[in-house]
Amino acid sequence: MNRDKSLERSKQATHWAHLMARAQRGDKNAYRLLLLDIAPVIGRIVHARASYVQEPEEIVQDVFLSLHAGLHTYDPSRPFLPWLVAIVHRRIVDHVRRVSRRARREFLVDPSDQEILNIAAENEAEAVTSRVALSELMGRLPEGQREAVELLKLQGLSLSEASLRSGRSVGTLKVSVHRAIKALRRIISRARTNG
Amino acid sequence: MDRRTEQTIDELVTHLQPVRPLRSPWLRATSWLSIACIALATVVFVVGVCPQALQRMSTPQFWVQVSAPTLVGIGGAYAAFMLAMPDRDWRWTFVPMPMMALWAIWAALQACREMNAPGSCWNAVWGAMRIDLIDPVGLLAILTTSLVLGWSLLKFNRHAWLGQRRNCAVCGAAAVTSLSVAAAVFYRETMSVPSILICHVGFCVSAKAFGFVFGDRLVRLVSPRA
């Protein structure tokens, strides 16, 4: 019984390695099959290693993005599963670190505290004003630069995520953001000198 | 399956491009070592071999002084390239350690012998530990070459964010400082005891500590995922 199971597992691992090798050559069907196949496996690993994580789907997404960005690091002559497990493990560690860092910076507040409510109202008013000003400024940027700023700076996506979303290379995005920020600085400083 | 996961899979499949798998870490480490050796040989050639080194070339001590850090450098470089891959064993981190330990022992013994102390050589060694005997130009040269080599090693391993970032940085730091020290033996005059200890062991250990503390961020800095 156990032998059958391990035989089945090794067959599956060989199948995944084969699909991965095809994906490296650009075979989209093989890639889709592989991702659909491994999604529950990743979920199980995340659950087994970090059952305390509140949003395991976030880690699964992160693993997919890492796998995509590091497709070239897989050596087809080596087993697939240890490579995948290592990536999942790293992403879990990164996620836990990120969450604990966030927890150190943030603190819980009493929602009925009047002072907190006043600050929140002030912040909300400021945020509305800033949002209007920002949308006006963004409207003066060329389409490509606007998209790059929106994805990277406003939505907070990583370069690879933004590259996937926009279909533009990482280098192009970096250049666009750089130019956009320069242009925004120029517009703001001109507005200040004009009073 | 979560709807977001399905969307991610769709997006990833749409943006799939054929990729060439990375060459083996052995091959890439050998390429990097060749480039590093050429760069360091160029530095030695431009600065010129110092007369003291020319005189000492016939002694076995000189060659131990060169080969010990070189071996640490080679071991560290191979380990760094291995650890940059996601699925390699973390125990690669220990590869440069035995040679480094032997190097440290040898440096201490060398220092004792040079002091030619009757009785307790340690008293003589500590007595000679004067700050003014430290060679600042030599240290600066090692630091500069280490930084340049370190940057190139990071660029070679920019995919290391997927692997064991910190361990990779620790081994990389050991590799670049050791190779820089090995080259410095040719173009700097014989160092004082503190310089030997600082350059040969202290510097390498400090670089490893630096790699341990900042390695994670350094690798993230050069990764395309930043």
Side-chain angles (χ1 to χ4, degrees):
Chain A
M1 185 73 176
N2 275 345
R3 209 177 148 197
D4 284 352
K5 253 188 183 173
S6 67
L7 201 70
E8 185 67 30
R9 268 188 210 146
S10 96
K11 259 188 191 171
Q12 199 172 36
T14 318
H15 176 60
W16 286 339
H18 179 65
L19 288 177
M20 188 67 178
R22 277 170 56 193
Q24 283 181 325
R25 291 195 293 270
D27 185 338
K28 293 188 175 181
N29 288 334
Y31 193 40
R32 181 184 295 279
L33 272 176
L34 176 74
L35 295 182
L36 288 171
D37 252 16
I38 60 173
V41 179
I42 297 170
R44 276 202 296 275
I45 299 171
V46 172
H47 182 73
R49 293 201 175 181
S51 50
Y52 49 86
V53 169
Q54 284 177 343
E55 278 195 61
E57 274 304 316
E58 207 177 300
I59 301 179
V60 176
Q61 304 262 331
D62 210 11
V63 171
F64 276 140
L65 289 172
S66 303
L67 190 143
H68 187 80
L71 211 59
H72 63 299
T73 62
Y74 172 66
D75 178 355
S77 63
R78 291 175 69 87
F80 173 73
L81 217 50
W83 181 80
L84 178 70
V85 172
I87 290 177
V88 178
H89 179 66
R90 302 268 151 237
R91 292 294 76 85
I92 292 172
V93 171
D94 282 351
H95 180 84
V96 171
R97 274 191 199 149
R98 205 165 46 228
V99 168
S100 65
R101 234 189 342 252
R102 209 182 294 157
R104 273 205 302 271
R105 282 197 216 116
E106 294 167 1
F107 57 93
L108 284 171
V109 291
D110 178 8
S112 60
D113 189 335
Q114 192 53 45
E115 200 178 336
I116 296 289
L117 286 175
N118 290 343
I119 293 170
E122 272 172 30
N123 285 348
E124 184 62 27
E126 269 176 29
V128 169
T129 322
S130 308
R131 226 174 287 147
V132 171
L134 185 66
S135 66
E136 268 177 26
L137 283 172
M138 294 284 281
R140 291 163 76 172
L141 291 175
E143 175 61 35
Q145 292 179 11
R146 189 167 55 236
E147 189 189 25
V149 173
E150 270 170 10
L151 293 174
L152 290 166
K153 301 292 172 192
L154 301 182
Q155 292 181 29
L157 298 182
S158 71
L159 277 167
S160 56
E161 286 168 338
S163 166
L164 277 175
R165 187 77 63 86
S166 63
R168 294 159 70 195
S169 73
V170 168
T172 316
L173 282 172
K174 276 185 185 171
V175 172
S176 297
V177 167
H178 179 68
R179 285 183 182 159
I181 289 171
K182 260 175 100 175
L184 287 174
R185 268 200 200 124
R186 216 171 27 242
I187 294 168
I188 292 168
S189 67
R190 215 176 285 158
R192 273 188 191 151
T193 50
N194 291 341
Chain B
M1 196 188 302
D2 190 71
R3 198 175 146 67
R4 273 193 308 165
T5 308
E6 279 176 18
Q7 277 177 347
T8 311
I9 291 177
D10 285 341
E11 275 190 42
L12 294 177
V13 171
T14 316
H15 292 98
L16 177 70
Q17 296 284 332
V19 291
R20 200 182 64 178
L22 278 177
R23 287 175 299 154
S24 93
W26 294 102
L27 213 64
R28 286 182 313 108
T30 310
S31 315
W32 180 80
L33 278 168
S34 316
I35 293 170
C37 286
I38 292 169
L40 290 172
T42 312
V43 171
V44 174
F45 180 75
V46 171
V47 179
V49 179
C50 71
Q52 268 190 324
L54 281 172
Q55 280 172 5
R56 293 191 307 123
M57 268 184 193
S58 54
T59 62
Q61 281 91 341
F62 177 82
W63 292 107
V64 174
Q65 208 173 345
V66 174
S67 55
T70 306
L71 286 175
V72 175
I74 292 171
Y78 280 113
F81 277 83
M82 281 293 173
L83 291 162
M85 306 301 281
D87 55 345
R88 304 303 158 113
D89 199 322
W90 65 274
R91 278 169 286 199
W92 272 99
T93 318
F94 297 120
V95 166
M97 303 286 183
M99 204 56 225
M100 234 188 102
L102 286 176
W103 182 21
I105 293 167
W106 178 82
L109 287 175
Q110 173 84 353
C112 288
R113 187 184 292 174
E114 280 183 10
M115 295 321 295
N116 198 18
S120 165
C121 60
W122 287 110
N123 288 341
V125 170
W126 295 120
M129 283 275 192
R130 281 164 44 199
I131 293 293
D132 56 312
L133 289 177
I134 293 173
D135 172 19
V137 181
L139 287 179
L140 195 67
I142 292 168
L143 185 69
T144 314
T145 44
S146 298
L147 285 176
V148 174
L149 290 182
W151 184 250
S152 70
L153 187 84
L154 271 176
K155 284 306 246 183
F156 258 75
N157 287 313
R158 56 188 174 276
H159 54 275
W161 62 271
L162 268 174
Q164 297 155 59
R165 295 186 287 258
R166 186 171 282 171
N167 294 4
C168 172
V170 166
C171 289
V176 295
T177 46
S178 313
L179 291 174
S180 302
V181 167
V185 173
F186 285 95
Y187 62 82
R188 292 303 304 167
E189 290 180 5
T190 314
M191 296 162 182
S192 64
V193 174
S195 282
I196 286 175
L197 289 175
I198 290 172
C199 286
H200 285 208
V201 188
F203 204 70
C204 193
V205 171
S206 321
K208 285 186 100 165
F210 181 83
F212 185 77
V213 178
F214 297 107
D216 203 52
R217 281 174 227 177
L218 277 174
V219 174
R220 277 169 182 274
L221 191 74
V222 293
S223 78
R225 198 170 169 268

